[in-house]
């Protein structure tokens, strides 16, 4: 294999990975907990899309492969333009746990948390969700049920975490 083929394979592989992480984070209850991975995903998709499109049009020789190689980057570029680069940039901040309200008595990785997301000059988004930690990097979130106080498996913890490092007066 030539150097161009290695670069094409690596570039397209990283591009597809960022698309998959972006789609999982944006369209499902799967969320990226790690700020570094979330920044890589959101800004990576905005930088790699035009780069991959230009690279694939430049390196592929036949018209058939140029069309195949440019389809996904073109559709992704259209998606970025529809969503808006500023909206994507403001969404690139990971949700941070401020307070663990409930802990599941059976599973340590299942909690109800109050979380905040820093959106820069726009302030903070806030939410209370049920969280299932897959690892320290990824989590699955779902809305909190109304009758959570009455359920036996939830133990009230009220533990301050303050991952954003906010200082209160």
């Amino acid at each position: 294999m030539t150097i161009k083929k290695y670069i094409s394979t690596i570039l397209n592989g990283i591009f597809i990975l960022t698309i998959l992480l972006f789609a999982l984070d944006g369209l499902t209850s799967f969320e990226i907990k790690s700020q570094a991975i979330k920044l890589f995903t959101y800004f990576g998709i905005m930088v790699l899309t035009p780069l991959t499109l230009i690279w694939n049009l430049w390196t592929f020789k036949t018209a058939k492969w140029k069309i195949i190689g440019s389809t996904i980057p073109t559709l992704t570029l259209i998606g970025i333009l529809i969503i808006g680069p500023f909206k994507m940039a403001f969404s690139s901040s990971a949700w941070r746990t401020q307070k663990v309200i409930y802990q599941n008595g059976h599973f340590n990785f299942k909690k109800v948390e109050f979380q905040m997301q820093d959106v820069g000059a726009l302030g903070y988004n806030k939410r209370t969700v049920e969280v299932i930690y897959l690892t320290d990097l990824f989590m699955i979130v779902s809305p909190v049920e109304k009758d959570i106080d009455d359920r036996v498996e939830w133990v009230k913890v009220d533990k301050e975490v303050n991952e954003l490092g906010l200082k209160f007066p």
Side-chain angles (χ1 to χ4, degrees), residues 97 99-104 108-115 127-133 142-145 148 151 154-155 157-159:
T97 303
K99 184 177 186 179
V100 177
I101 302 169
Y102 292 99
Q103 172 79 42
N104 190 296
N108 290 337
F109 56 85
K110 197 172 181 181
K111 303 172 182 178
V112 173
E113 298 179 346
F114 171 69
Q115 297 180 338
R127 70 180 184 182
T128 301
V129 290
E130 183 178 326
V131 179
I132 299 173
Y133 284 99
S142 59
V144 177
E145 298 172 11
I148 198 155
R151 302 182 75 193
W154 292 106
V155 178
V157 184
D158 282 333
K159 178 182 169 189

Side-chain angles (χ1 to χ4, degrees), residues 4-5 7-8 12 52 54-62 66:
K4 281 185 180 179
K5 287 187 180 181
I7 293 172
S8 290
N12 284 300
T52 305
I54 292 167
W55 179 265
N56 287 345
L57 289 174
W58 179 62
T59 57
F60 292 148
K61 301 293 182 206
T62 64
K66 284 183 190 255

Side-chain angles (χ1 to χ4, degrees), residues 81-101:
L81 294 174
I82 289 171
I83 294 170
F86 285 117
K87 188 172 183 180
M88 287 180 66
F90 287 133
S91 299
S92 66
S93 180
W95 287 94
R96 300 290 188 182
T97 303
Q98 292 305 103
K99 184 177 186 179
V100 177
I101 302 169

Side-chain angles (χ1 to χ4, degrees), residues 21-121:
L21 284 173
F22 180 78
L24 282 172
D25 189 63
L27 302 174
T28 66
S29 60
F30 177 88
E31 289 194 13
I32 301 170
K33 175 83 171 155
S34 167
Q35 182 64 41
I37 294 174
K38 193 149 185 174
L39 282 173
F40 171 77
T41 300
Y42 278 70
F43 287 106
I45 203 165
M46 288 191 285
V47 171
L48 287 175
T49 298
L51 185 67
T52 305
L53 179 62
I54 292 167
W55 179 265
N56 287 345
L57 289 174
W58 179 62
T59 57
F60 292 148
K61 301 293 182 206
T62 64
K64 173 186 168 187
W65 283 106
K66 284 183 190 255
I67 292 170
I68 291 170
S70 66
T71 302
I72 293 175
T74 303
L75 293 173
T76 306
L77 187 61
I78 291 168
I80 290 170
L81 294 174
I82 289 171
I83 294 170
F86 285 117
K87 188 172 183 180
M88 287 180 66
F90 287 133
S91 299
S92 66
S93 180
W95 287 94
R96 300 290 188 182
T97 303
Q98 292 305 103
K99 184 177 186 179
V100 177
I101 302 169
Y102 292 99
Q103 172 79 42
N104 190 296
H106 304 295
F107 304 110
N108 290 337
F109 56 85
K110 197 172 181 181
K111 303 172 182 178
V112 173
E113 298 179 346
F114 171 69
Q115 297 180 338
M116 294 175 73
Q117 180 186 39
D118 185 4
V119 286

